[in-house]
Amino acid sequence: MPGAGASPFPPIADYGFLSDCHTGALVAHDGGVDWLCVPRFDSPSVFGSLLDRQAGVFRFGPFGIHHPAARTYEPGTNVLVTTWKVPSGWIVVRDALTLGPWDKEDSVTPHTRPPADDDAEHLLVRTVECIEGHVEVELVCEPVFDYGRAPAEWTLVDGGRHLADASSGGLTIRLASDLALGIEASRARGRHTLRAGERAFCALSWAEGLATPHDVDDAEARIASTIRFWRDWLGRARIPDHRWRDPIQRSALAIKGLTYMPTGATVAALTTSLPETPGGERNWDYRYTWMRDATFTLQALHFLNLDWEADEFMQFVADVEPTKDGSLQIMYGIDGRRDLTESTVDELTGYEGARPVRIGNAAFDQRQNDVFGSVLDSILLHTRRAQRLPRRLWPLVESQADCASKVWGEPDQGIWEARGAPQHYVSSKLMCWVALDRAGQLAEIRGDQDRARGWRETADEIKADILEHGLSKRGVLRQHYETDSLDASVLLAAMEGFLPPGDERLHATVLAIADELTENGFVLRYRTDETDDGLSGKEGTFLICSFWLVSALAIVGERQRARDLMERLLRIASPLGLYAEEFETASARHLGNFPQAFSHLALIEAAGRIILDELVSEIT
């Protein structure tokens, strides 16, 4: 693996994230769009330099300068602002995947949910303004379709030099700019010197009819509309007036940005195959919806008072097709499809040589018994506020509770989707307990006392089994029944109410993980040399597990330790306030797919627990 500073790949945490809630883009510090899949999150990439420096890029910035003076977001938005200083002047570039008023059916990515007032325009719009002196601006657009395997064929449109189409394999995207364009083999390029007060734009379209902005005023108006969308949306959220307001707000924007508006699904991350082990094989495609994310998604959305988004996600869960035995898969495509067959793109080098690059996810048909608890916990969360269970959700409650009742005693692959032998994972049985406990509460809300009684009896049976077989001799919850190794997933025992906060076994478990399953204070999922996960290589600390530890410490009364860890976690956010999946403590860098919804969901929950605890302390 290249040493620090030697790699041609930007650090994962240096990327800026754009979204229109249909797809997303990552913008490198040099102004290059290194990742974009169109028309939706899980489509093949058209810009893939994130995974291979030859797999396509779209740069808009000063010629010959690659390190900006500053990068930030327009406040309260996912619109990126980059300020550039060159010897002769200053420019400001704004980048957005634009959203505008909904006025007709979307034929590009059709909706199954009711359309909102605003929707994606299927445009990547980039504007530049010279604010002082003069600056030579360069546009380089070099898409390589189908994950870097199909170079573009370019044609100038309408006999001019301001529209050009790039095509391959039946897909065409259109580049528009007020810079004069030239075609150089598989790329389009433009250069122009801007002087103080002058503006320019470029835009990439995959919209119906390949519609593009007419001029720079139109381009700026579309970005302004996008800014209004994000601020209006964020204005509906309940963001506490607290010192952690900014990270909570950025996490909310990241989660919304990872939402697929047409169906209400949420992708786990924008990317595929960013390595968990530098240069290694722990590379996965995260552009899908995991059922286990349901609980954390609903908790975060309801905490933020974003009930519409919570309902949209719940309706997606209700729509997905179960397997033959009535259970839900652990993950689905963002359109609800079940088949996520995994393949590799061997033509790509991978990020810093980490291979293989995977498309699809072979874990989709694994047995992971925690899924039942995740689904039923989310339904209960969704039902509590109204104390009314939607009619269409009751059959899902019955099927998932019955499935959990049948399989809780069987081994599975566990929450971390281990590709080794099935085991009796404690967290899987814990989540089966959650499934039956929540099903019992839902049955009571529905008025079905017989069902409630039966499910509660099974929940008690599961709890007794865990406490008999899932505790080590020192009274600590362990990874699975055949080992005394620790696993961060048992922190869910605190967060899901499996044991009361004052229980000594829960306290001992939380402290054991804090003291023994950490690197420089950050939490590992498990120790790879103690766990048969079917893979080789070490991995970084998992950010979601570290945020879980914050929540668990707060629950068991270790309030100062919880606050201290939370402050450390907030300090390692990316320069733009985002989180990947993992954090490598030795090099202080982010690893894994980016941005990671799970990390941001766990941040909101951890912050919420501490904030609520502080508020209670103020009034008692």
Side-chain angles (χ1 to χ4, degrees):
M1 184 189 73
S7 173
F9 291 85
I12 291 168
D14 278 5
Y15 280 100
F17 169 54
L18 310 178
S19 173
D20 62 6
C21 300
H22 288 235
T23 190
L26 292 181
V27 186
H29 61 265
D30 67 352
V33 175
D34 282 3
W35 185 253
L36 175 65
C37 301
V38 298
R40 59 190 215 180
F41 291 110
D42 58 352
S43 299
S45 65
V46 295
F47 303 118
S49 288
L50 181 71
L51 297 175
D52 187 311
R53 303 313 284 169
Q54 301 297 308
V57 67
F58 178 19
R59 182 175 188 270
F60 192 50
F63 176 72
I65 301 292
H66 297 278
H67 296 278
R71 300 173 83 209
T72 188
Y73 283 109
E74 287 282 1
T77 77
N78 284 317
V79 174
L80 187 64
V81 182
T82 306
T83 303
W84 297 88
K85 172 69 174 75
V86 303
S88 60
W90 293 78
I91 58 171
V92 176
V93 174
R94 286 176 171 80
D95 295 325
L97 286 163
T98 59
L99 297 104
W102 182 86
D103 58 2
K104 63 179 180 179
E105 289 296 327
D106 188 341
S107 62
V108 178
T109 44
H111 286 251
T112 59
R113 303 270 83 79
D117 292 338
D118 296 276
D119 202 1
E121 295 183 322
H122 306 299
L123 286 170
L124 171 59
V125 178
R126 318 186 74 178
T127 64
V128 59
E129 180 181 6
C130 183
I131 59 175
E132 185 174 310
H134 64 276
V135 179
E136 186 175 29
V137 174
E138 176 187 51
L139 181 163
V140 178
C141 185
E142 188 171 9
V144 187
F145 295 83
D146 192 24
Y147 300 110
R149 293 180 287 203
E153 295 182 3
W154 283 95
T155 55
L156 290 170
V157 179
D158 293 337
R161 286 193 171 271
H162 297 288
L163 294 174
D165 287 353
S167 303
S168 180
L171 176 64
T172 298
I173 55 179
R174 175 164 293 174
L175 175 66
S177 180
D178 47 10
L179 275 63
L181 300 174
I183 307 302
E184 300 174 347
S186 60
R187 70 178 184 173
R189 190 162 175 249
R191 289 170 66 179
H192 179 64
T193 298
L194 290 178
R195 302 187 182 279
E198 293 181 339
R199 302 166 296 152
F201 86 99
C202 63
L204 199 69
S205 173
W206 51 99
E208 183 178 355
L210 299 178
T212 59
H214 305 301
D215 52 30
V216 68
D217 290 332
D218 188 11
E220 289 184 342
R222 291 173 187 268
I223 291 181
S225 175
T226 305
I227 290 171
R228 285 193 298 272
F229 165 82
W230 287 114
R231 289 178 178 165
D232 288 348
W233 176 83
L234 193 63
R236 296 194 294 271
R238 178 179 57 197
I239 307 292
D241 184 19
H242 189 271
R243 63 188 182 278
W244 297 337
R245 184 184 185 95
D246 285 349
I248 293 172
Q249 189 167 278
R250 179 50 52 195
S251 290
L253 288 162
I255 293 164
K256 177 65 173 178
L258 293 169
T259 299
Y260 185 58
M261 195 181 292
T263 65
T266 300
V267 293
L270 182 64
T271 58
T272 179
S273 301
L274 288 179
E276 298 173 8
T277 301
E281 63 175 339
R282 295 174 183 268
N283 318 315
W284 317 112
D285 193 346
Y286 273 17
R287 298 171 298 158
Y288 308 114
T289 299
W290 268 253
M291 289 296 102
R292 78 165 52 91
D293 291 8
T295 295
F296 302 99
T297 301
L298 268 291
Q299 284 174 340
L301 291 173
H302 283 310
F303 173 74
L304 297 171
N305 211 35
L306 295 169
D307 294 340
W308 178 269
E309 281 74 15
D311 185 68
E312 293 283 274
F313 184 77
M314 201 68 256
Q315 298 310 318
F316 170 79
V317 173
D319 281 346
V320 296
E321 180 184 354
T323 62
K324 289 181 179 179
D325 67 0
S327 64
L328 296 183
Q329 292 184 175
I330 66 167
M331 72 179 86
Y332 289 84
I334 55 176
D335 56 359
R337 74 186 188 279
R338 291 176 53 190
D339 187 356
L340 305 178
T341 300
E342 186 175 297
S343 62
T344 62
V345 184
D346 297 331
E347 294 87 347
L348 296 179
T349 65
Y351 179 87
E352 289 191 342
R355 301 179 72 187
V357 171
R358 304 178 200 266
I359 306 302
N361 197 307
F364 78 92
D365 60 357
Q366 283 187 356
R367 175 177 289 280
Q368 294 177 23
N369 293 338
D370 69 290
V371 67
F372 312 113
S374 299
V375 171
L376 293 180
D377 196 25
S378 67
I379 293 176
L380 180 61
L381 282 167
H382 190 60
T383 302
R384 271 181 178 155
R385 203 167 282 194
Q387 287 295 298
R388 190 188 304 275
L389 178 65
R391 183 182 182 90
R392 72 189 302 251
L393 293 180
W394 178 247
L396 188 60
V397 174
E398 290 184 300
S399 63
Q400 300 315 290
D402 290 343
C403 286
S405 298
K406 293 174 183 175
V407 307
W408 73 264
E410 300 176 6
D412 71 339
Q413 305 304 138
I415 190 173
W416 305 125
E417 301 165 9
R419 301 196 177 192
Q423 300 287 350
H424 290 279
Y425 287 100
V426 169
S427 62
S428 295
K429 298 187 188 301
L430 166 67
M431 292 306 292
C432 285
W433 172 84
V434 170
L436 276 300
D437 177 79
R438 282 20 172 205
Q441 295 183 55
L442 287 162
E444 286 188 348
I445 291 172
R446 190 174 184 266
D448 191 335
Q449 298 302 324
D450 290 339
R451 278 287 207 181
R453 189 180 308 109
W455 284 335
R456 286 186 183 280
E457 288 174 356
T458 306
D460 291 341
E461 184 181 353
I462 298 171
K463 176 177 277 192
D465 190 79
I466 293 172
L467 295 179
E468 180 179 356
H469 302 291
L471 288 167
S472 66
K473 291 181 179 179
R474 59 177 177 154
V476 169
L477 290 169
R478 51 190 176 177
Q479 183 183 57
H480 60 75
Y481 286 3
E482 304 301 323
T483 183
D484 282 341
S485 296
L486 296 171
D487 192 305
S489 63
V490 301
L491 292 169
L492 294 171
M495 299 159 64
E496 298 291 357
F498 179 72
L499 292 171
D503 191 290
E504 182 54 39
R505 294 164 296 186
L506 184 63
H507 192 262
T509 298
V510 173
L511 291 187
I513 290 172
D515 296 336
E516 302 169 28
L517 195 61
T518 55
E519 287 185 354
N520 296 320
F522 298 108
V523 183
L524 299 161
R525 292 192 300 179
Y526 48 76
R527 296 201 180 274
T528 55
D529 58 351
E530 297 177 354
T531 301
D532 176 21
D533 61 8
L535 298 165
S536 62
K538 189 177 179 295
E539 60 185 19
T541 64
F542 261 62
L543 289 165
I544 183 174
C545 297
S546 296
F547 284 118
W548 282 355
L549 180 57
V550 172
S551 293
L553 286 167
I555 289 167
V556 301
E558 297 284 345
R559 295 180 177 87
Q560 191 57 53
R561 288 190 72 170
R563 281 191 289 268
D564 290 346
L565 179 54
M566 188 70 183
E567 293 288 0
R568 292 190 67 195
L569 285 162
L570 295 178
R571 283 196 292 272
I572 65 164
S574 83
L576 290 168
L578 299 171
Y579 291 85
E581 184 175 29
E582 299 184 20
F583 183 71
E584 186 181 52
T585 59
S587 62
R589 67 173 180 169
H590 288 237
L591 295 172
N593 287 307
F594 179 83
Q596 180 81 200
F598 227 163
S599 299
H600 289 279
L601 291 166
L603 182 156
I604 292 172
E605 180 176 2
R609 288 185 184 274
I610 294 177
I611 291 169
L612 289 174
D613 184 65
E614 291 176 352
L615 290 174
V616 170
S617 298
E618 288 177 3
I619 61 176
T620 57

